Amino acid sequence: IYNSPVTISNSATYKTEEIAYHEAGHAIVSEILDPNSVTLIATGSNNTYSGLTAYVRSEHYWQSVELMKNRVMCLLAGKCAVELAFGKNDIGANSDFTRAKDVLERMVCEYGLLGFDKLRKSRGMGVSESHNYTQIRAINDELTRYYQKTKELIAMNKEFLDKLAKLVMEKDIVTEGEISAIKSSCTIKLPSII
């Protein structure tokens, strides 16, 4: 349902469930790819924010291709979780998408991870429209690919997602010990290729 219609509900309970699943999605993907990396999940029921997932990981994820890939998947996980749980598009994920695209742009255009032909050209080299299109297309293709991989990872670990989202809805704030306890009660599965 990647291109599913956007549905907006007026129900506060439904919105809280969406936020809980969105934040639980971020948390489970982070916990699976980087164990013990989530310290807190909150739904923001006091209306000061929509939801929050706090991490212990360093912001130096640019130092490793694996960490950059994990970061992209964690950023996309909220939208994937809402889609899997409710069968609809998550309109609260735009800042996550922007940040995921920024990471992918760096991977493609600065680090040449998809080939040298997509590297950003230096100033004064004359960048053609076709070169820009090639870069944008590569970034969008990667975004779609990572989205599908993230969705598959969450679908394989739906038990973890459902249990964590339920606790987030009940408590509003969930700590790392509670996340760990839920994770250890679930069978964690990884796709053959991440």
Side-chain angles (χ1 to χ4, degrees):
I1 311 179
Y2 180 61
N3 290 317
S4 64
V6 174
T7 307
I8 299 174
S9 170
N10 292 328
S11 165
T13 303
Y14 189 70
K15 193 64 181 164
T16 300
E17 288 176 8
E18 279 186 45
I19 293 169
Y21 269 89
H22 180 103
E23 298 306 328
H26 288 306
I28 71 157
V29 169
S30 186
E31 281 295 310
I32 292 168
L33 299 177
D34 184 13
N36 305 310
S37 60
V38 180
T39 58
L40 180 85
I41 304 170
T43 60
S45 64
N46 61 4
N47 294 321
T48 56
Y49 53 88
S50 295
L52 168 77
T53 302
Y55 304 92
V56 226
R57 73 170 155 252
S58 164
E59 285 299 313
H60 300 289
Y61 53 86
W62 303 112
Q63 297 173 355
S64 156
V65 172
E66 197 63 34
L67 291 175
M68 285 188 281
K69 290 177 179 181
N70 291 353
R71 176 79 169 145
V72 170
M73 290 180 72
C74 289
L75 287 165
L76 298 174
K79 180 176 175 55
C80 291
V82 169
E83 185 179 309
L84 285 167
F86 301 102
K88 65 177 217 146
N89 223 328
D90 180 4
I91 60 170
N94 50 345
S95 68
D96 295 334
F97 254 60
T98 299
R99 292 184 305 172
K101 279 188 95 166
D102 289 346
V103 175
L104 286 169
E105 182 178 353
R106 249 177 133 168
M107 290 168 67
V108 170
C109 300
E110 293 179 25
Y111 301 138
L113 296 180
L114 294 180
F116 298 127
D117 62 321
K118 292 165 193 75
L119 284 172
R120 183 172 288 124
K121 293 187 178 185
S122 299
R123 290 186 182 142
M125 286 185 70
V127 179
S128 69
E129 278 188 44
S130 66
H131 184 74
N132 282 338
Y133 176 78
T134 301
Q135 289 175 326
I136 291 166
R137 180 69 185 189
I139 293 164
N140 288 341
D141 288 349
E142 283 298 281
L143 189 62
T144 300
R145 189 171 73 81
Y146 277 97
Y147 187 83
Q148 294 305 326
K149 286 170 47 172
T150 305
K151 194 170 160 184
E152 179 185 359
L153 179 63
I154 293 172
M156 292 176 75
N157 293 282
K158 185 92 167 44
E159 177 191 19
F160 188 13
L161 174 69
D162 290 338
K163 285 182 175 182
L164 188 55
K166 182 179 180 209
L167 186 62
V168 171
M169 284 183 276
E170 289 171 6
K171 294 191 67 179
D172 185 43
I173 295 175
V174 176
T175 63
E176 63 186 311
E178 294 165 317
I179 297 165
S180 247
I182 289 174
K183 182 180 176 185
S184 66
S185 75
C186 300
T187 303
I188 302 302
K189 301 170 192 148
L190 289 169
S192 55
I193 299 174
I194 289 198

